[in-house]
């Protein structure tokens, strides 16, 4: 596959691995922001290839993981209503709410459907005029343009039986929250390549300056990640703290303007609660007044839900890179992908799930 | 001789964990595995069941027989490359072949929903006949039930099969030895993607057809040509990964495989990339893994690659020594653990 | 997050401005993709696609840069060399 396979080339990976080894003179702690990058690192065993001086901590870039408990409960409540067809990306179906998850709602007879694109949900709404179709609009800035277009299309085509349950979150406030935490050990960031494809990377410059950290916009294939780590480590060794772009084949500095325009027409910045972290101001997206009629929370009157996290779950600390999954006392024993406590164990790229699937033996040897 | 059964009336699967059965319990992954291990195996507890192989092998007088069953609930009923009928025949034929048996006879039980189109039933039955002829088996007994509209999802088919073992080899996970080579009969993932392509909401134009095929002929060739087969397993739900994990567990031996040796067709890869699937966990219906001593590899590979259902056969790894489990050497040279998947693989955006 | 995959545009249907669609080939799998966010994209371009939307056009020159460098250094495996 073009633009994929060559970025998994073993010899090229070895080249960057060696370059990192040769550059490093002291210990550095880096954070990869995006869950997709975490997934890649663990799946290809990239962290195994890094010198011991370079430690990767896994960031909160998993919109599935950070969707607050009460929003899952709202989704479950809406999906359980008899006239509703609840559409979602596959990622969300196994995330536990306070009592159950969407898959269980489906087992109980709820019409829960997986879609590849939000436009598929709009199509379903057109095909089922007597039903209410609700789409679970989860994601970072990468997915916002798609969700914006779906709502915009629904409005243009007068598809009134369509609405979205919004759970959009923004990356820069998340980075800020991580950096401003007193326990933060992160010295350099790999920024999320697809988020930046949409947003560009100018908004990271003030962050790099304020916290004096290098931020390298990085892709997702093994070569991208190794290259991104190399660029970050090089900056740290040279005492620089700049924003650089490793993923230049997809990311432009100004990002995707048409996408940004529609997003700012359909959505506005709002405060959002992040599961395991708490509320971060100006960290999420909500619908603008013009598109309010498509807000499922209003349509189904579920705006006032509240919920408590299970006490044992440390996913918040994992998301901020303060703890590693296997440092959790419940990891692999009481908390597994089959009975997860928090979203980081459920989501395909949640750090805990990734560790469980690919690294469980570390936990075993650690406690042996 | 039947083993002592220790049957307890108390449900062994903690109800508090799963008060209801989920789709994932039939997915071929960890949940299904746990259900079988926690509820079915201990309840019916006997030496044949504990082999945990694709079918049961036992003596009847001077003959060694194999016996297996499978139920087919696939949606959609008709997909590129096959339908529930051809699946129902080939799946059971293949389970018998995996025991090293020559398939002889099948039974078929139909549970049909009221209102199901007779024309569709006819298509399915015709397809079963074609598949049975290709596999050289006869359908000799059956049953038909019709359930109320709304209670049956169209049609469900159960097939059971009986075969005869005409050689002396013991084939099963317990025969696996350190040093054995693991041969995969062909590229993986076609069936899983073909099904996905025909499902609502995940459509794409695709020339990918299910790899549904009868494997008995190829297996008989291997056996008749004197290949020493330690174990075989056909890959179904849960894919290559689940089959290997199960065998590693049942045999007590670790298995190491190499990502670059696993054949995946380009278009199957493309689909996996956009849906976020790992081909290792995709369903297959005409592929199997074969465990043979290293010495037998050249001979076995010659036979496989000369047969139309083994054209893309590849040696994907070896059985090693030490703590059990399956590990994979990734394309870039690092290692990771291959585990059972939890439930079904779902398309993802993350 | 943000599983996005590069694919090649093989056809474009110009509806009105907002609803510009195309067919994109991912190694043999062809999917209908919304091209509204890449108005300059043309047939033959590779685009990065996320949940049915093209978000950027792959910059071939940038993509080749790292490989040109690696090739010079003799650090590419044969298979990749041939593919590029």
């Amino acid at each position: 596959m073009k633009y994929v396979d060559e970025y998994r080339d073993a010899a090229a990976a070895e080249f960057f691995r060696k370059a990192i080894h040769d550059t490093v003179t002291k210990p550095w702690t880096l954070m990869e922001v995006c869950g997709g990058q975490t997934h890649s690192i663990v799946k290809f065993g990239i962290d195994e290839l890094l010198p011991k001086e370079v430690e990767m901590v896994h960031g909160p870039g998993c919109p599935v993981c950070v969707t607050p408990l009460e929003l899952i409960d709202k989704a479950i409540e809406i999906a359980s209503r008899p006239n509703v067809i609840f559409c979602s990306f596959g990622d969300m179906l196994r995330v536990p709410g306070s009592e159950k998850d969407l898959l269980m709602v489906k087992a109980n007879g709820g019409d829960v459907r997986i879609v590849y694109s939000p436009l598929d949900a709009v199509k379903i709404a057109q095909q089922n005029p007597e039903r209410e179709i609700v789409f679970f609009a989860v994601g970072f800035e990468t997915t916002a343009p798609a969700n914006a277009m779906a709502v915009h299309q629904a409005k243009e085509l007068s598809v009134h039986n369509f609405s979205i349950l919004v759970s959009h979150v923004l990356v820069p406030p998340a980075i800020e929250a991580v950096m401003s935490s007193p326990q933060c050990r992160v010295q350099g960031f790999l920024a999320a390549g697809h988020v930046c494809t949409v947003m560009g990377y100018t908004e990271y410059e003030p962050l790099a300056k304020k916290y004096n950290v290098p931020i390298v916009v990085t892709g997702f294939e093994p070569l991208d990640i190794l290259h991104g780590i190399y660029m970050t480590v090089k900056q740290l060794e040279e005492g620089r703290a700049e924003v650089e772009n490793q993923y230049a084949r997809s990311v432009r500095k100004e990002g995707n303007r048409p996408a940004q325009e529609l997003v700012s027409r359909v959505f506005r910045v709002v405060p959002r609660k992040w599961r395991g972290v708490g509320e971060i101001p100006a960290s999420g997206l909500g619908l603008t007044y013009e598109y309010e009629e498509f807000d499922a929370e209003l349509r189904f009157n579920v705006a006032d839900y509240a919920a408590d996290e299970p006490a044992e779950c440390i996913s918040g600390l994992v998301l901020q890179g303060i703890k590693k999954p296997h440092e959790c006392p419940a990891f692999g024993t009481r908390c597994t992908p089959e009975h997860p406590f928090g979203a980081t164990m459920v989501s395909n790229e949640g750090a805990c799930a990734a560790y469980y699937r690919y690294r469980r033996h570390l936990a075993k040897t650690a406690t042996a | 001789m039947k083993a002592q059964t220790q049957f307890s009336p108390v449900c062994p699967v903690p109800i508090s964990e799963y008060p209801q059965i989920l789709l994932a319990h039939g997915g071929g992954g960890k949940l299904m595995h746990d259900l079988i291990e926690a509820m079915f195996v201990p309840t019916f507890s006997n030496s044949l069941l504990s082999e945990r192989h694709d079918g049961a092998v036992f003596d009847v007088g001077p003959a060694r027989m194999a016996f297996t069953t499978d139920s087919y609930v696939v949606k959609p009923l008709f997909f590129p490359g096959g339908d529930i009928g051809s699946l129902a025949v080939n799946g059971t034929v293949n389970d018998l072949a995996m025991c090293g048996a020559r398939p002889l006879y099948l039974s078929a039980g139909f549970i049909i929903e009221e209102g199901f189109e007779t024309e569709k039933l006819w298509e399915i039955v015709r397809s079963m006949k074609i598949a049975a002829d290709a596999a050289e088996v006869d359908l000799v007994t059956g049953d038909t039930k019709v359930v109320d509209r709304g209670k049956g999802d169209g049609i469900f088919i159960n097939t059971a099969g009986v075969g005869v073992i005409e050689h002396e080899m013991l084939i099963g996970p317990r025969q696996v030895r350190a040093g054995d080579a693991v041969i995969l009969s062909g590229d993986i993932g076609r069936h899983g993607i073909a099904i996905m392509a025909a499902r609502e909401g995940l459509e794409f134009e695709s020339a990918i057809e299910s790899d549904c095929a009868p494997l008995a002929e190829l297996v008989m060739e291997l056996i008749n040509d004197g290949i020493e087969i330690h174990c075989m397993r056909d890959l179904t739900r849960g894919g290559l990964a689940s089959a290997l994990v199960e065998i590693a567990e049942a045999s007590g031996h670790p298995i190491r495989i190499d990502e670059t040796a696993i054949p995946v067709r380009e278009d199957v890869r493309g689909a996996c990339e956009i849906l976020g699937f790992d081909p290792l966990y995709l369903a297959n219906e005409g592929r199997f893994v074969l465990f043979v001593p290293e010495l037998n590899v050249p001979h076995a590979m010659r036979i496989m690659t000369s047969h139309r259902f083994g054209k893309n056969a590849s040696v994907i790894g070896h059985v090693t020594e030490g703590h059990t489990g399956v590990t994979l050497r990734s394309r870039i040279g690092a290692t990771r653990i291959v585990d059972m998947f939890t439930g079904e693989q779902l398309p993802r955006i993350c | 997050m943000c599983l996005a995959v590069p694919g090649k545009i093989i056809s474009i249907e110009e509806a009105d401005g907002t609803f510009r669609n195309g067919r994109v080939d991912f190694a043999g799998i062809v999917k209908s993709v919304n091209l509204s966010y890449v108005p300059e994209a043309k047939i033959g371009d590779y685009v990065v696609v996320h949940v049915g939307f093209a978000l950027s056009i792959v910059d071939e020159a940038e993509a080749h840069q790292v490989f040109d460098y690696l090739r010079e250094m003799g650090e590419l495996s044969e298979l990749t060399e041939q593919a590029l």
Side-chain angles (χ1 to χ4, degrees), chain C residues 20-68:
Chain C
R20 189 171 178 249
N21 281 320
R23 286 163 66 242
V24 176
D25 184 333
F26 302 92
I29 289 281
V30 175
K31 218 169 170 352
S32 170
V33 169
N34 188 301
L35 301 176
S36 310
Y37 294 130
V38 286
E40 345 70 71
K42 21 181 221 322
I43 295 180
D45 282 346
Y46 276 82
V47 283
V48 176
V49 178
H50 173 70
V51 303
F53 284 79
L55 296 180
S56 69
I57 304 174
V58 176
D59 185 329
E60 313 228 357
E62 287 287 356
H64 284 147
Q65 241 189 34
V66 68
F67 294 106
D68 291 338

Side-chain angles (χ1 to χ4, degrees), chain A residues 200-346:
Chain A
Y201 49 87
T202 51
E203 51 187 350
Y204 295 89
E205 279 158 3
L207 284 171
K209 212 183 240 126
K210 179 172 174 186
Y211 295 100
N212 199 35
V213 284
I215 300 181
V216 176
V217 180
T218 306
F220 298 79
E221 298 300 336
L223 213 62
D224 292 320
I225 293 172
L226 285 165
H227 192 184
I229 292 174
Y230 170 64
M231 287 166 71
T232 312
V233 166
K234 192 157 183 292
Q235 281 205 43
L236 288 167
E237 292 284 336
E238 291 169 6
R240 292 183 287 130
E242 293 156 13
V243 178
E244 288 184 294
N245 183 8
Q246 179 279 330
Y247 198 31
R249 66 185 183 277
S250 177
V251 179
R252 324 271 113 81
K253 187 166 189 186
E254 70 280 7
N256 184 318
R257 283 279 153 77
Q260 291 165 19
E261 271 161 28
L262 191 65
V263 169
S264 51
R265 197 172 144 193
V266 175
F267 291 111
R268 62 195 164 90
V269 176
V270 298
R272 277 244 170 249
K273 188 165 170 211
W274 292 53
R275 185 169 185 163
V277 178
E279 187 170 282
I280 304 179
S283 66
L285 295 178
L287 286 167
T288 52
Y289 182 68
E290 192 186 344
Y291 293 87
E292 211 176 54
E293 68 167 292
F294 296 99
D295 188 338
E297 283 198 51
L298 297 177
R299 194 179 288 198
F300 292 91
N301 205 16
V302 291
D304 306 321
Y305 275 41
D308 293 317
E309 311 280 334
E312 252 193 296
C313 180
I314 64 161
S315 55
L317 298 174
V318 171
L319 284 171
Q320 292 178 74
I322 293 168
K323 283 233 182 265
K324 285 256 165 65
H326 58 270
E327 291 169 353
C328 171
F331 176 75
T333 53
R334 286 180 304 289
C335 180
T336 65
E338 284 79 49
H339 348 102
F341 280 0
T344 43
M345 183 56 92
V346 170

Side-chain angles (χ1 to χ4, degrees), chain B residues 39-50:
Chain B
M39 188 183 278
F40 300 135
V41 171
T43 304
F44 298 111
S45 170
N46 57 66
S47 57
L48 290 177
L49 202 51
S50 62

Side-chain angles (χ1 to χ4, degrees), chain B residues 4 28 125 131 170 186-187 306 312:
Chain B
Q4 265 292 329
V125 167
L170 290 174
D187 63 279
S306 319
N312 299 319

Side-chain angles (χ1 to χ4, degrees), chain A residues 53-72:
Chain A
E53 290 89 344
V54 177
E55 190 196 345
M56 300 302 300
V57 296
H58 311 301
C62 168
V64 173
C65 300
V66 301
T67 300
L69 204 53
E70 54 265 26
L71 210 67
I72 308 287

Side-chain angles (χ1 to χ4, degrees), chain B residues 10-55:
Chain B
V10 174
C11 176
V13 175
I15 296 282
S16 56
E17 282 180 17
Y18 290 107
Q20 290 179 318
I21 295 298
L22 305 174
L23 274 181
H25 283 109
K30 188 149 197 317
L31 245 53
M32 182 169 110
H33 177 80
D34 288 351
L35 180 67
I36 295 173
E37 292 297 316
M39 188 183 278
F40 300 135
V41 171
T43 304
F44 298 111
S45 170
N46 57 66
S47 57
L48 290 177
L49 202 51
S50 62
E51 286 294 315
R52 287 176 185 68
H53 198 43
D54 283 333

